[in-house]
């Protein structure tokens, strides 16, 4: 089992920045991809960014160029630096991780952290 704990959400004005952190604990030796999803009110959860254990990253079009995902494998922490925030970035941001054991892939989610961007 993997537990994920997010931090760093809050309220910021448009154009501002926030950095989200997510610390993984538990059986983390088999964790492969980590990342962030978000869910705005009335909308489906959507991908923001993912990063593999080797550092390969993937971004949603809405995040590319403004957000940067990074990962500290030694500390088992994944970060999301968000710059030039827009009101449409307002959402609950969920940390995500997946592991691979004996050919079975399991997905894990954090409890979420609120990001609110005022205009």
């Amino acid at each position: 089992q993997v537990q994920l704990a997010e931090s760093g959400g809050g309220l910021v004005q448009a154009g501002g920045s926030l950095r989200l952190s997510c610390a993984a604990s538990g059986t983390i030796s088999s964790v492969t991809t980590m990342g962030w999803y978000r869910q705005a009110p009335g909308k489906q959860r959507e991908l923001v960014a993912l990063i593999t254990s080797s550092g390969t990253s993937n971004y949603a079009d809405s995040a590319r160029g403004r957000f940067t995902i990074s990962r500290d494998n030694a500390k088992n922490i994944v970060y999301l630096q968000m710059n030039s925030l827009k009101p449409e970035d307002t959402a609950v941001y969920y940390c995500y991780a997946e592991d691979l054991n004996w050919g079975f892939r399991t997905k894990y989610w954090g409890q979420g952290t609120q990001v609110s961007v005022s205009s």
Side-chain angles (χ1 to χ4, degrees):
Q1 289 290 319
V2 175
Q3 294 80 44
L4 302 172
E6 303 107 332
S7 61
L11 174 64
V12 64
Q13 288 188 332
S17 299
L18 282 175
R19 189 176 83 153
L20 305 183
S21 301
C22 173
S25 60
T27 309
I28 55 177
S29 59
S30 56
V31 169
T32 55
T33 298
M34 297 184 71
W36 297 90
Y37 284 72
R38 69 186 184 187
Q39 187 167 17
K43 295 188 177 181
Q44 291 187 334
R45 191 172 297 188
E46 63 178 10
L47 169 71
V48 178
L50 297 173
I51 187 167
T52 67
S53 54
S54 61
T56 300
S57 58
N58 181 36
Y59 294 91
D61 289 343
S62 59
R64 192 174 294 111
R66 299 187 299 126
F67 295 0
T68 302
I69 190 169
S70 60
R71 181 171 175 172
D72 185 333
N73 289 326
K75 296 182 179 179
N76 302 305
I77 298 176
V78 62
Y79 302 97
L80 185 68
Q81 177 66 43
M82 304 186 292
N83 298 327
S84 302
L85 283 161
K86 305 175 181 179
E88 50 263 44
D89 293 317
T90 295
V92 177
Y93 284 68
Y94 295 92
C95 183
Y96 167 86
E98 60 183 51
D99 66 12
L100 186 63
N101 286 294
W102 301 100
F104 293 96
R105 194 175 301 276
T106 304
K107 299 179 180 181
Y108 301 93
W109 298 94
Q111 292 193 335
T113 185
Q114 178 70 46
V115 171
S116 298
V117 184
S118 62
S119 57

